[in-house]
Amino acid sequence: MHPFATHDDKARPSGFLVGEWQAAPPLNLLVRGDEQVRLEPRVMDVLVRLAERADEVVSKEELLEHVWKGRYVTDDVLAVAIYSLRKSLGDDARRPRYIATVSRRGYRLIAPVRPATAASTPTPTAAPRQPEARRPRARSWSTVVAAVAFALAAASVLWVLTAARHRRHVPPAEAHEAYLKGRYFLDQRSIRGWRQALEQFERAVALDPQDPAAQAGLADTYSAMSDFGVASPAEMRPRAMQAAQRALDLDPRSAEGQAALGRVQFLFDWDFAAAERSLARAVALDPDYMPAQQTMAWLESARGKHREAVAAAQRALQLDPVNTARYTELAWVLALSGRYGEALSEIERALQLNPRSSESYLMKGWTCEVAGQADAAFAAYREGLRLIGVPEETLQRMDAEYRSAGLAACYRGWLNRRGGNTLMSDTRRAQLYVRVGELDRAIESLERAYQKRESALAWVNVDPTYQPLRSDARFQRIAARVGR
């Protein structure tokens, strides 16, 4: 008899063995000896489907159709479910013992599957172990991320999953759904994502003009668009400040509003003291609000308070463990503190979660470069650019440049090809000029970046890229004006 045979084809199997674990789908439990792990229902459904097709490749499309039953959800939902399942089973995507990723095709359960006897069917204990060792509390940011994906299908589920423990204002479900979608799109870090985020936050404001969180979402989106160089600080700063102040006018005790204000004060004004006060208030109001911890990590790293920066970035990751951006942000502050090995470990964790993350590869390249590992840096940069969509012809030209004169030749070629393209920030251009040894042009670019108040200049005092400039009086004048 097949281990998944049931009297009702629509019912879940009562139990089965997978590798070292006993699975009890009706209870959403995994059991190994005295250890019990509770799975989310849909995560268990994914395991059941993979076990039904053990040692066969199950496509993403099939899993999405079978588990989510035709509801409109994105591939991110499945990625989150697979990540959670692997963590619960103690599996490693790079050296899998349970679930293997088959590139461009889907997933395969490679652990042996056997039917469970009636005597072995587990019963739940009072407190099964959660799959994450550092599982966040009720208002977990990972819950928000997963819930946003499900929101496209079920607003009522969204409302339950993301009940805000510290929120004073309770928006209507439809407005809250739009807010959560905005947060999801905001973290995509792309022009399309920011446009979608603005649309959703504006919709949330229209549906509920009294919600401070929606106003804070607008502020954070304007800040991000400036920070990543797709809009000018001169244009975005007034909008971000107005939205942050509107959030606090609606509720001075809004953690979202305080964090949004702190982000504006840090990224646009370089007013580190004011930003610290705002962010400290946000954290005090809601320690589980991930963006407050995230921005605190940025601020502390820019101030050279590396231990505090790492602690805040670790807390942000704990609250949002299914987002590769949290791993690369932790890697960034670790590398700024000289802890390159730990930074690379975090990047590898990000790549296990999403092997096609261009951001993770670019961060790996920078970390390897500052650690003195040129070959590894070039390989990572090249892969990151390939994933972004840089043409193969350009990549081959980079290969030739690297073989001829190392990374400096690649940077020189990049500068020459970009020329005066305004899509490259002056801060970024300054960093490239330092790398090719054109220090006067680097200073000129930094002066322009200061006049524009480019957000990336906040790290001018700690970024190791600028080490060749630190004895230059012109650089010292710029650095002294950033952060107070």
Side-chain angles (χ1 to χ4, degrees), residues 52-100:
E52 288 173 341
R53 302 271 306 279
D55 212 31
E56 298 178 22
V57 177
V58 184
S59 70
K60 294 179 181 180
E61 293 76 16
E62 178 181 339
L63 287 168
L64 288 169
E65 175 63 29
H66 181 81
V67 175
W68 284 272
K69 303 187 186 307
R71 293 173 179 168
Y72 176 69
V73 293
T74 67
D75 288 353
D76 294 331
V77 177
L78 180 58
V80 169
I82 292 291
Y83 175 81
S84 177
L85 184 54
R86 279 176 169 147
K87 295 292 284 185
S88 300
L89 294 166
D91 202 16
D92 185 333
R94 292 299 180 92
R95 295 177 292 277
R97 295 184 300 118
Y98 284 89
I99 302 170

Side-chain angles (χ1 to χ4, degrees), residues 4-335:
F4 295 96
T6 63
H7 296 295
D8 179 355
D9 288 341
K10 295 182 180 180
R12 285 173 161 190
S14 60
F16 58 93
L17 304 177
V18 54
E20 302 170 345
W21 294 91
Q22 293 175 248
L27 302 173
N28 294 312
L29 276 181
L30 290 174
V31 178
R32 181 173 60 184
D34 296 331
E35 186 177 12
Q36 294 191 3
V37 180
R38 181 84 68 187
L39 298 184
E40 294 293 333
R42 294 194 190 277
V43 175
M44 177 58 79
D45 288 343
V46 170
L47 175 60
V48 169
R49 190 58 172 177
L50 290 173
E52 288 173 341
R53 302 271 306 279
D55 212 31
E56 298 178 22
V57 177
V58 184
S59 70
K60 294 179 181 180
E61 293 76 16
E62 178 181 339
L63 287 168
L64 288 169
E65 175 63 29
H66 181 81
V67 175
W68 284 272
K69 303 187 186 307
R71 293 173 179 168
Y72 176 69
V73 293
T74 67
D75 288 353
D76 294 331
V77 177
L78 180 58
V80 169
I82 292 291
Y83 175 81
S84 177
L85 184 54
R86 279 176 169 147
K87 295 292 284 185
S88 300
L89 294 166
D91 202 16
D92 185 333
R94 292 299 180 92
R95 295 177 292 277
R97 295 184 300 118
Y98 284 89
I99 302 170
T101 299
V102 182
S103 180
R104 302 176 188 270
R105 294 180 61 194
Y107 302 96
R108 183 165 61 94
L109 186 66
I110 57 177
V113 177
R114 306 178 303 283
T117 63
S120 68
T121 301
T123 57
T125 59
R129 177 179 68 82
Q130 299 294 340
E132 291 292 336
R134 297 177 296 174
R135 187 175 179 83
R137 291 179 287 174
R139 195 184 177 199
S140 144
W141 200 253
S142 62
T143 300
V144 173
V145 173
V148 168
F150 288 116
L152 301 171
S156 60
V157 175
L158 257 175
W159 180 251
V160 173
L161 290 178
T162 59
R165 195 170 38 131
H166 297 287
R167 289 281 293 277
R168 301 163 68 88
H169 177 80
V170 180
E174 189 177 1
H176 189 53
E177 177 185 341
Y179 167 76
L180 289 173
K181 288 180 181 178
R183 282 289 169 193
Y184 174 78
F185 289 127
L186 174 58
D187 235 352
Q188 300 310 298
R189 300 189 177 192
S190 67
I191 293 176
R192 180 185 179 190
W194 290 315
R195 287 174 180 165
Q196 291 173 307
L198 285 177
E199 289 173 1
Q200 292 300 325
F201 288 133
E202 287 168 353
R203 182 167 180 266
V205 169
L207 290 167
D208 183 6
Q210 301 305 308
D211 185 12
Q215 296 286 348
L218 282 173
D220 287 347
T221 307
Y222 295 137
S223 295
M225 292 172 69
S226 171
D227 188 22
F228 283 83
V230 301
S232 72
E235 179 186 3
M236 292 293 106
R237 197 266 180 196
R239 297 184 186 184
M241 180 59 81
Q242 182 179 26
Q245 291 290 2
R246 174 60 177 160
L248 292 173
D249 288 343
L250 291 168
D251 182 1
R253 291 182 56 79
S254 163
E256 294 89 349
Q258 293 288 353
L261 176 61
R263 190 170 292 204
V264 173
Q265 291 165 329
F266 170 59
L267 290 175
F268 290 100
D269 300 343
W270 306 321
D271 190 342
F272 293 179
E276 181 183 26
R277 289 192 295 271
S278 298
L279 293 169
R281 291 190 195 106
V283 171
L285 288 164
D286 186 355
D288 291 343
Y289 183 55
M290 189 281 295
Q293 301 286 352
Q294 174 193 42
T295 312
M296 185 68 82
W298 300 348
L299 169 65
E300 298 292 29
S301 67
R303 300 171 79 178
K305 295 187 174 183
H306 300 303
R307 184 177 65 179
E308 293 85 349
V310 169
Q314 288 172 334
R315 178 62 176 150
L317 174 58
Q318 179 185 6
L319 293 167
D320 186 13
V322 294
N323 192 322
T324 57
R326 302 294 87 78
Y327 293 87
T328 56
E329 287 167 351
L330 175 55
W332 163 250
V333 299
L334 283 166

Side-chain angles (χ1 to χ4, degrees), residues 359-372:
E359 180 183 17
S360 299
Y361 276 107
L362 295 175
M363 181 60 69
K364 181 177 181 179
W366 179 82
T367 304
C368 289
E369 182 180 1
V370 296

